[in-house]
Amino acid sequence: MLCRVASSLYWMSSYLERAENVARFIDVNLSTLLDLSLESELGNPWEPLIQITGDNKSFHGRYEAVNGENVMKFHTFDEENPNSILSCLIAARENARTIRETIPSEMWEQINKLYLMVKGVAHNGSTLYGLTAFYKTIKMDCHLFSGITDATMAHTEAWDFVQLGQLIERADKTSRILDVKYFLLLPRVDYVGSTLDKIQWAALLKSASALEAYRKKYRQINPSDVAEFLILDYGFPRSMIFCLTQSYRSLFSITRSAGGDLHNLPERRLGKLRAKLDYTTIEEIIQLGLHEYLDEFQMELNTVVDAIHETYFVPNIASLK
């Protein structure tokens, strides 16, 4: 497969996954504020949404106040923010356009439809506070794209690159969603374990579409159980270890490696990171510090993405001569 095609397949699904995750955590934040009127008690609940994507420097460089309207505009329609929903959809659509001969027409039509819908809302200048249904539509349309991909695309090397882009982006976003609790400062120390604290943890689970699955396994909201579920649960499709395990399988399928044989840098780095989660307990993670652990995970995951880029997306000049 050409490097250009592999790169476009990977980044198309990665950008769509990013757009879906941004829509999800804005929607949950909006719902929590509207339902429970917590804004005054929590201080400024919009600040963590800037921290979650690591774009605080970019935001503060262009916006004066951290409020709901500015944060939603920055994350949704701001084309100068490469991680906004609109920017992600533009990038996903452009990647899909360059490989239209590789993907089924239904996939292209779904991306195009989603892009035009968001572009239309941005152009009409709708009131951002009335956009709960809009964010839900983005989430559902991204789910629909995943379903169309599974149902219409041959499960070959191209499909594995689509999976790889989606799963690695999902692992990163789950770690960032979990890390956001670090920035959600409670008004007082005695609020730890309070109803307000539990509401924050429940909102965090909702941000990862994990609340129902979590309650079936643990019932009561407990911080260490939430962290264990989102990091180490092998059966939940948005947990970090699930995403890494499935990514690992896609890498092996692409290289056609026999199980256990590591052939290149992405396999070694991803295998090392997955093994680290395999042999770590939630008690060890909490002892190390959840924020510190997640920070280190994100940096190591970035090295995996770098290795995938160098191995599969950069043309081998020697082979072209």
Side-chain angles (χ1 to χ4, degrees), residues 168-186:
I168 287 184
E169 177 66 27
R170 185 175 294 175
D172 177 76
K173 282 295 173 288
T174 296
S175 74
R176 291 179 185 277
I177 286 170
L178 185 54
D179 200 21
V180 81
K181 190 68 174 75
Y182 175 80
F183 299 102
L184 280 171
L185 298 177
L186 291 169

Side-chain angles (χ1 to χ4, degrees), residues 178 192-193 197 201 214 221-228 282 286 290:
L178 185 54
V192 175
D197 190 28
W201 283 108
Y214 170 87
I221 300 282
N222 178 286
S224 66
D225 290 342
V226 173
E228 182 177 48
I282 193 61
I286 290 173
L290 183 60

Side-chain angles (χ1 to χ4, degrees), residues 44-288:
N44 187 346
W46 293 100
E47 185 70 39
L49 267 63
I50 301 298
Q51 305 285 352
I52 197 173
T53 56
D55 292 321
N56 44 325
K57 188 175 178 181
S58 172
F59 178 87
H60 290 294
R62 298 207 303 286
Y63 295 87
E64 290 185 1
V66 182
N67 55 41
E69 186 165 353
N70 284 345
V71 172
M72 285 193 287
K73 182 180 178 184
F74 176 73
H75 278 314
T76 309
F77 301 126
D78 190 340
E79 292 189 46
E80 291 186 44
N81 172 18
N83 294 319
S84 74
I85 291 172
L86 182 56
S87 294
C88 287
L89 292 177
I90 290 171
R93 183 172 179 263
E94 182 58 24
N95 277 288
R97 188 188 61 76
T98 63
I99 49 169
R100 284 189 64 177
E101 75 285 356
T102 304
I103 60 175
S105 59
E106 290 87 348
M107 288 173 65
W108 164 252
E109 289 166 7
Q110 179 61 21
I111 289 179
N112 217 24
K113 175 189 155 194
L114 181 55
Y115 161 77
L116 291 173
M117 187 274 288
V118 174
K119 188 75 175 174
V121 174
H123 180 72
N124 292 334
S126 302
T127 303
L128 287 168
Y129 278 102
L131 292 179
T132 298
F134 166 71
Y135 290 115
K136 289 187 189 303
T137 301
I138 293 173
K139 286 190 295 178
M140 294 312 294
D141 275 3
C142 288
H143 287 313
L144 183 57
F145 176 81
S146 297
I148 289 172
T149 302
D150 280 346
T152 63
M153 190 175 192
H155 288 206
T156 58
E157 187 182 34
W159 183 81
D160 280 311
F161 274 111
V162 172
Q163 293 295 300
L164 201 55
Q166 180 185 56
L167 290 163
I168 287 184
E169 177 66 27
R170 185 175 294 175
D172 177 76
K173 282 295 173 288
T174 296
S175 74
R176 291 179 185 277
I177 286 170
L178 185 54
D179 200 21
V180 81
K181 190 68 174 75
Y182 175 80
F183 299 102
L184 280 171
L185 298 177
L186 291 169
R188 300 197 308 265
V189 175
D190 59 354
Y191 272 43
V192 175
S194 67
T195 302
L196 178 60
D197 190 28
K198 289 177 181 176
I199 289 172
Q200 287 184 342
W201 283 108
L204 188 145
L205 283 165
K206 283 183 184 175
S207 298
S209 294
L211 183 59
E212 288 82 4
Y214 170 87
R215 284 199 181 282
K216 283 179 182 173
K217 184 169 183 179
Y218 295 96
R219 297 181 182 277
Q220 299 296 321
I221 300 282
N222 178 286
S224 66
D225 290 342
V226 173
E228 182 177 48
F229 188 68
L230 292 179
I231 298 173
L232 300 174
D233 192 281
Y234 285 94
F236 181 61
R238 290 189 176 277
S239 77
M240 290 154 55
I241 199 163
F242 180 94
C243 294
L244 293 193
T245 301
Q246 296 302 317
S247 302
Y248 199 57
R249 288 175 183 169
S250 288
L251 264 186
F252 271 80
S253 180
I254 290 167
T255 56
R256 296 182 175 82
S257 301
D261 294 337
L262 303 177
H263 284 82
N264 57 30
L265 191 59
E267 288 181 359
R268 288 195 292 276
R269 286 184 179 174
L270 185 54
K272 182 180 176 184
L273 187 54
R274 194 199 67 164
K276 192 173 173 182
L277 266 67
D278 269 333
Y279 294 102
T280 304
T281 65
I282 193 61
E283 289 78 15
E284 291 169 334
I285 291 173
I286 290 173
Q287 188 175 13
L288 176 67

